[in-house]
Amino acid sequence: MRTFVKKLAGTFACPVSALLLVLLLLPQGLGAEGLQPVQQDIRDILQRQFETGSASRVFGNPILTDKLALFYQGRDFVPLWIGSKGVIPEADSLFAAIVGAERQGLAPADYHLDALIELLPQSTAASLAELEVLLTDAFLRYCKDIRLGRADPRNADPEWFILIDRIDHLAALEQALSRGTFASTLQALPPRDPAYRRLLSALADYRRIAEDGGWPVLAMEETLREDDRGEAVIALRERLRLGGDFSGASNSEEFDPELTEAVKSFQARHGLEIDGVVGASTRAALNVPIAERIRQILLNLERWRWMPRDLPERYLLVNMAGFELKAIDNFRSLLQMRVIVGREYRQTPAFSEPIRYLVINPFWNIPPSLAVKDILPKVRRNRSYLQREGIRVFRDWSAESPELDPAAIDWDRLTSGRFPYKLRQDPGPRNALGRIKFMLPNTFNVYLHDTPDRGLFDKAVRTFSSGCIRLEDPLGLAEYLLADNPDWSREQIDAAVDRERRQIVSLKTPHPVYMVYWTVWVDEQEKVQFRPDVYRRDARLQKSMDLVGGGLHL
């Protein structure tokens, strides 16, 4: 691909120049009188190829034969891209989008770029028929990849359950061409959220770093801290300068306070303990190759394409990999807090549901699976455990089930297959749900809640829950969600909590929540944030991308 464009335009670094040169080579002598027979010839070629099944490859390129055959049959095989005056101008817009696909983290070669460059200047009926099919196939592939993602999320990540609307791209193509809105249709295909565009900008920046040779590897094994000196400090300065964490002179061998702040900046951006010291974990993050960081960005661009195109104006975003919650309002983050997510073997799924109500001073109805796996072993070791934790036992899960005396139960005989009881923890300071929980009814039984284990929020990696989301500032979130309800000021929320009486508060309007898994994002301060792949979903997505062909376009 790049070799041929260089022959046309001198360099692929300027795709617009290549595009203009190709357009100058388009056939100019096909007037309306002379083209009508050519159009008929193209129609006859298309009909013959699709009806005989000989169109599986066009100009050496595989095409989506079944979809295109059905599409052209519905058009009576009349060409779409070849009008009465030649190749229609919209083909230029599609060609430009394909050339620019690299900026979206996609590979232009996936959309027949080389073949289109060869065919665009030609004017025979056979060549124009090939061009016709390849343009339609390229459009279909490009739309699918940039709007829905290259990999099917159902196969690439079995824990991704966020659904998006699928559209008939070929019907949309016909409509856009008939209405003269093709250029705007192309522009509307990528995700429109500013967070996606910021990630595209980071991709361009990191690719430039890679083209310039990447960043240095810190070969030392010793810990570096303030007041150290030597060549390793010089290498550290340069590494932090290239990553955007340090803007001072990079040739000093002294580890000074300015460099300490740069190290802290790097640690914050990578989800590490922020101490300004370059130990083993910080050094390992510094030494991740630039190609690996580009790969991470590309994987998370793919996840963005799995998101709905029109996110609501206001919603909560919970990023499991980032261990954080943000309240988004018109693309701005108005509230942010740390969260705790599911353990690796009880991973929190990616899904979307709205919060409909919250419960102040909730009971914790302990799910049977947790009762058997977590609570039962503790009761067997300590018969007073239930009383100490404020957990009551009921005969079954029916509404009027009587309460039982824990001392009268033979806990040693119970198993996962024979555990009929309901365990319920009363409201109070030891309640596992804390003082408030936020209900977004879903099939996964995942919700957001407070926790008495406040010290866990100081951990860099916070995978401690059984799948639900524990909140650093649940009362702050309650205040945010109830801001439109004059009956629930912050003081009134605090007073209700202090009464230690269970109370349900419905939201006037359900508030959407999106549970996502992003290991890279760019925050509103334009800082690129990287996080470890704690659930190993990046690795799984990478394998899926390899299977769809071509892997990632680094």
Side-chain angles (χ1 to χ4, degrees):
M1 174 186 70
R2 300 193 181 195
T3 301
F4 193 87
V5 176
K6 286 179 181 178
K7 286 195 294 184
L8 288 175
T11 175
F12 190 69
C14 186
V16 175
S17 298
L19 172 61
L20 292 175
L21 185 52
V22 169
L23 297 181
L24 288 174
L25 295 175
L26 285 174
Q28 303 295 319
L30 292 176
E33 304 81 16
L35 187 58
Q36 293 300 333
V38 175
Q39 280 186 294
Q40 183 59 48
D41 290 343
I42 294 171
R43 179 191 174 281
D44 293 342
I45 293 171
L46 294 177
Q47 183 174 9
R48 182 170 62 253
Q49 286 182 331
F50 284 115
E51 288 185 348
T52 62
S54 60
S56 61
R57 295 184 72 86
V58 176
F59 208 76
N61 289 251
I63 63 169
L64 304 169
T65 309
D66 292 342
K67 291 184 179 180
L68 295 188
L70 189 62
F71 172 70
Y72 277 104
Q73 185 179 22
R75 292 179 51 81
D76 195 24
F77 303 101
V78 173
L80 183 69
W81 302 93
I82 314 299
S84 60
K85 297 181 180 180
V87 180
I88 63 175
E90 284 82 356
D92 307 345
S93 298
L94 178 58
F95 186 87
I98 290 171
V99 171
E102 191 169 28
R103 294 191 293 272
Q104 298 283 340
L106 303 173
D110 289 345
Y111 316 111
H112 313 310
L113 181 60
D114 287 349
L116 293 177
I117 292 173
E118 292 275 5
L119 289 169
L120 276 169
Q122 300 185 32
S123 58
T124 66
S127 297
L128 290 173
E130 290 182 321
L131 176 63
E132 167 74 26
V133 173
L134 286 185
L135 284 171
T136 305
D137 190 74
F139 174 84
L140 189 58
R141 292 174 183 271
Y142 178 75
C143 284
K144 183 268 176 188
D145 288 355
I146 202 165
R147 184 175 175 84
L148 302 175
R150 292 179 57 211
D152 186 339
R154 293 168 295 185
N155 297 325
D157 186 348
E159 296 298 328
W160 188 279
F161 298 95
I162 298 176
L163 302 179
I164 58 176
D165 294 331
R166 295 179 178 270
I167 66 171
D168 185 339
H169 292 300
L170 291 176
L173 170 61
E174 283 190 300
Q175 185 178 76
L177 291 178
S178 66
R179 294 181 177 179
T181 58
F182 183 73
S184 59
T185 296
L186 282 176
Q187 293 172 0
L189 287 173
R192 293 189 287 270
D193 197 287
Y196 177 79
R197 295 197 293 270
R198 292 196 296 265
L199 201 54
L200 289 180
S201 179
L203 174 64
D205 292 341
Y206 276 68
R207 279 176 168 169
R208 280 193 292 269
I209 296 173
E211 290 172 0
D212 291 339
W215 44 53
V217 174
L218 304 183
M220 83 297 179
E221 296 184 359
E222 70 275 12
T223 297
L224 285 179
R225 52 172 49 89
E226 197 166 314
D227 295 330
D228 285 344
R229 306 178 67 89
E231 293 294 324
V233 175
I234 296 176
L236 173 63
R237 284 179 179 273
E238 177 63 8
R239 168 64 183 87
L240 293 171
R241 183 188 68 80
L242 289 169
D245 297 291
F246 180 71
S247 58
S250 59
N251 57 355
S252 172
E253 65 175 21
E254 179 185 358
F255 199 132
D256 55 20
E258 187 179 19
L259 189 59
T260 298
E261 292 305 310
V263 171
K264 289 182 178 179
S265 171
F266 177 88
Q267 291 169 331
R269 289 195 307 109
H270 291 76
L272 301 167
E273 182 182 355
I274 304 173
D275 57 8
V277 176
V278 182
S281 58
T282 299
R283 184 171 63 251
L286 286 163
N287 283 341
V288 171
I290 184 70
E292 172 64 16
R293 293 307 188 195
I294 293 173
R295 185 187 71 86
Q296 277 186 269
I297 293 173
L298 291 170
L299 291 174
N300 286 274
L301 286 171
E302 175 75 1
R303 289 193 180 101
W304 258 108
R305 299 180 192 116
W306 298 347
M307 295 290 288
R309 275 301 170 273
D310 297 311
L311 291 169
E313 184 174 313
R314 300 178 71 236
Y315 62 94
L316 299 184
L317 183 73
V318 178
N319 180 10
M320 281 92 74
F323 307 111
E324 71 172 8
L325 175 148
K326 290 182 179 180
I328 305 297
D329 189 331
N330 196 24
F331 303 121
R332 294 180 300 115
S333 175
L334 299 186
L335 180 69
Q336 184 171 338
M337 68 184 69
R338 295 176 292 185
V339 302
I340 292 167
V341 304
R343 300 178 180 93
E344 185 177 343
Y345 60 92
R346 292 179 183 170
Q347 296 183 15
T348 305
F351 70 98
S352 175
E353 291 290 348
I355 292 177
R356 299 185 181 278
Y357 64 96
L358 52 90
V359 183
I360 297 174
N361 293 313
F363 295 119
W364 182 34
N365 293 310
I366 303 173
S369 60
L370 295 185
V372 172
K373 294 178 182 178
D374 295 351
I375 306 299
L376 185 56
K378 296 175 182 177
V379 175
R380 286 170 174 166
R381 290 194 298 268
N382 183 354
R383 299 301 187 188
S384 64
Y385 173 82
L386 295 177
Q387 182 179 7
R388 187 188 71 202
E389 297 296 324
I391 298 175
R392 299 160 68 185
V393 184
F394 297 84
R395 176 175 293 170
D396 54 43
W397 285 79
S398 62
E400 303 300 326
S401 177
E403 185 174 357
L404 303 178
D405 180 2
I409 297 173
D410 186 352
W411 297 99
D412 292 325
R413 296 184 60 185
L414 297 176
T415 65
S416 58
R418 185 178 176 273
F419 194 92
Y421 307 114
K422 180 177 82 170
L423 304 184
R424 189 182 77 187
Q425 189 175 36
D426 286 338
R430 302 183 73 91
N431 187 287
L433 304 184
R435 298 306 186 117
I436 191 167
K437 71 175 179 178
F438 304 82
M439 299 303 295
L440 52 159
N442 59 86
T443 59
F444 312 104
N445 199 28
V446 169
Y447 43 87
L448 286 62
H449 65 86
D450 184 15
T451 176
D453 298 322
R454 311 305 300 174
L456 295 178
F457 289 106
D458 294 329
K459 304 289 186 181
V461 176
R462 296 187 288 277
T463 50
F464 301 113
S465 85
S466 296
C468 289
I469 304 298
R470 304 180 193 173
L471 304 170
E472 178 186 21
D473 183 15
L475 297 181
L477 179 59
E479 182 181 10
Y480 175 80
L481 294 175
L482 295 173
D484 62 346
N485 190 331
D487 295 331
W488 286 99
S489 65
R490 179 57 184 264
E491 292 75 17
Q492 289 165 316
I493 294 171
D494 291 341
V497 168
D498 291 341
R499 284 194 289 271
E500 294 193 2
R501 186 176 70 247
R502 182 174 181 270
Q503 185 172 1
I504 295 176
V505 182
S506 296
L507 300 186
K508 287 187 173 182
T509 303
H511 201 93
V513 179
Y514 289 88
M515 305 274 193
V516 301
Y517 186 82
W518 290 337
T519 56
V520 186
W521 70 96
V522 182
D523 63 26
E524 295 175 67
Q525 289 70 47
E526 305 294 332
K527 292 184 178 181
V528 188
Q529 302 283 338
F530 292 96
R531 294 297 185 271
D533 183 18
V534 291
Y535 285 164
R536 294 196 290 274
R537 294 182 187 176
D538 275 3
R540 196 157 49 227
L541 176 54
Q542 174 71 67
K543 290 181 180 178
S544 183
M545 298 289 281
D546 291 340
L547 289 175
V548 299
L552 295 172
H553 186 56
L554 298 179

